[in-house]
Every structure is written in structure tokens, then in C-alpha cells.
Amino acid sequence: MWDTLDLPWQAALEMAWEAYCAGTIPIGAVVADADGRIVARGRNRILDKSAPDGQVYDDMLAHAEINALLTLNIDQESRHHSALYTTMEPCPLCMGALYMSSVRALHFAARDPYAGSVNLLGTTPYLRRKPIRVVTPFDYTLEASLIAIMVETELAMRGEAVITSRFFDEWRTMSPKAVEFGIALYRSNELRKRQKEGLSAQDAFNWLIHQVQ
């Protein structure tokens, strides 16, 4: 699977795996220019105690997309022809940041029925003046793997009591098999074991996708 992905997707998944290994929310994002070259990278850092210069951390606003956009250092015209790639459908905060960044395309690999807010596109006069091209998830197995790792992380952070929460109910409505896979990952501790062994992002996602298939 990994070898079939475009470079921006590989980089975004690397950032998501880095976030997972750091003990925070496993979401990664990059910005690619018109030629597909990566010009900015970011990951979730809400639980981190440090970050590269210019990025935010240890704060509920330290989302992957925010950090990628904060480090974007190209002119406005180049931004208009660039695209944000993110492993999870952006939340309202990140959708707002995308609009304000002058980037005009969004690719996301997994839907988020709990916080995802692509439905905000064009809902106000201001937002309608800035058209955003959106490319929705393109591979079920990758989407299911990303949902499963989110579920596993939520359980690792909050415990099994959250299985009956609204978060899980909404995710189950969209992708019940991915949620059950995430619960199984948590209970087996298999992914954590592999992470401690130093598994690379490529190997981690190839393994996850193989389990989903």
C-alpha cells in the first residue's frame, strides 16, 4: 500500500505516526506546492512539551493542520496553487485556518463524524469568496486504519468507559468495523508493542492496512 501513495500522503502519515509515538492525537498534515513538493509539515502537539520554531504545542489549539500552515513560508500566489493534505477531516478550527492561509485545496484521508467540518465550506459570504477544492478519502483500508488508530488512542488516554460515549457512537455510525478494530488494537496492546520496537510509519501503516483487509 505505502509504495502506491503519493509523496504528500506518505509524509502526512509519517507525521501522524510521529504524533502517535509522541503520545498525542495521531493526526499529521503537510502542504504540497503545485509540483507536489512538500513545503510545510505539522502534526498534532496538544500534549507535547516542545515543538519546532513557529509551531504551537501543549495547548488544545496545537492541531496538525495549524502547525503545518504556521510553517508555510511561500508567497500568496504559490499558496493559491498549493494543497493541504491531512490524515483526518479538519475540525472547525482547522477549516478556518485553511481559509485564512490562502491555500486553495484540501485532501483528507479519513472522515471524522465527530469533529469533521468540511460541511462548513462556503456557508458564509466570506467563505464563498474563497473557493476551496476538496478531495475526499480515496481508500477505504487507509481510512479504516486511521480511524482505528484514533480509537485506540482515545481508549489509551481515557480508558474503556469511553466505549459508550457519543464519540464512539458517532464513529460507529460511519465505520463500525474500524471502531471494533481500534478497540481490539487497544485490548491486545499490539500496536503499542510494535511502536516500542521502533516500527517505522511505512511498516506501521502497511501492517494496519493488512489487518483491515
Side-chain angles (χ1 to χ4, degrees):
M1 173 67 179
W2 185 271
D3 293 336
T4 68
L5 296 173
D6 293 338
L7 182 60
W9 279 125
Q10 292 180 354
L13 290 171
E14 286 171 350
M15 298 308 295
W17 182 243
E18 182 180 306
Y20 179 84
C21 294
T24 189
I25 310 300
I27 299 175
V30 301
V31 179
D33 67 12
D35 297 316
R37 294 173 297 198
I38 297 165
V39 291
R41 301 170 188 254
R43 66 166 174 83
N44 186 284
R45 290 183 179 273
I46 66 172
L47 299 177
D48 284 50
K49 299 303 178 185
S50 64
D53 289 347
Q55 295 195 10
V56 290
Y57 63 94
D58 195 24
D59 191 280
M60 291 303 293
L61 302 181
H63 291 199
E65 299 90 338
I66 297 294
N67 277 326
L69 294 170
L70 282 172
T71 56
L72 185 57
N73 187 24
I74 56 177
D75 61 44
Q76 188 174 41
E77 183 62 25
S78 298
R79 287 173 182 241
H80 284 166
H81 295 94
S82 296
L84 174 67
Y85 290 74
T86 178
T87 56
M88 192 63 57
E89 181 182 351
C91 70
L93 169 71
C94 297
M95 285 304 300
L98 174 62
Y99 269 105
M100 301 307 295
S101 73
S102 292
V103 173
R104 291 291 178 265
L106 168 67
H107 300 245
F108 63 98
R111 294 163 292 169
D112 181 353
Y114 185 76
S117 296
V118 170
N119 61 335
L120 293 177
L121 287 163
T123 54
T124 71
Y126 178 77
L127 299 184
R128 286 193 289 274
R129 288 197 293 271
K130 294 186 173 185
I132 304 290
R133 180 173 63 89
V134 178
V135 180
T136 54
F138 57 93
D139 186 271
Y140 166 77
T141 57
L142 178 59
E143 180 179 54
S145 298
L146 289 163
I147 292 169
I149 199 173
M150 287 286 288
V151 166
E152 193 268 3
T153 299
E154 186 75 7
L155 286 165
M157 290 180 174
R158 306 181 191 279
E160 293 214 16
V162 299
I163 288 177
T164 59
S165 68
R166 181 178 176 183
F167 174 89
F168 275 71
D169 288 344
E170 295 191 17
W171 284 88
R172 279 194 187 93
T173 299
M174 187 190 77
S175 189
K177 290 183 179 179
V179 171
E180 293 309 311
F181 177 41
I183 293 171
L185 282 177
Y186 168 72
R187 289 175 173 167
S188 70
N189 204 36
E190 187 66 27
L191 190 60
R192 299 278 162 177
K193 291 176 184 175
R194 291 171 180 267
Q195 178 259 314
K196 290 176 181 177
E197 292 170 357
L199 202 66
S200 68
Q202 177 176 347
D203 289 340
F205 281 101
N206 276 338
W207 180 79
L208 285 164
I209 288 166
H210 179 73
Q211 301 303 308
V212 169
Q213 290 174 332

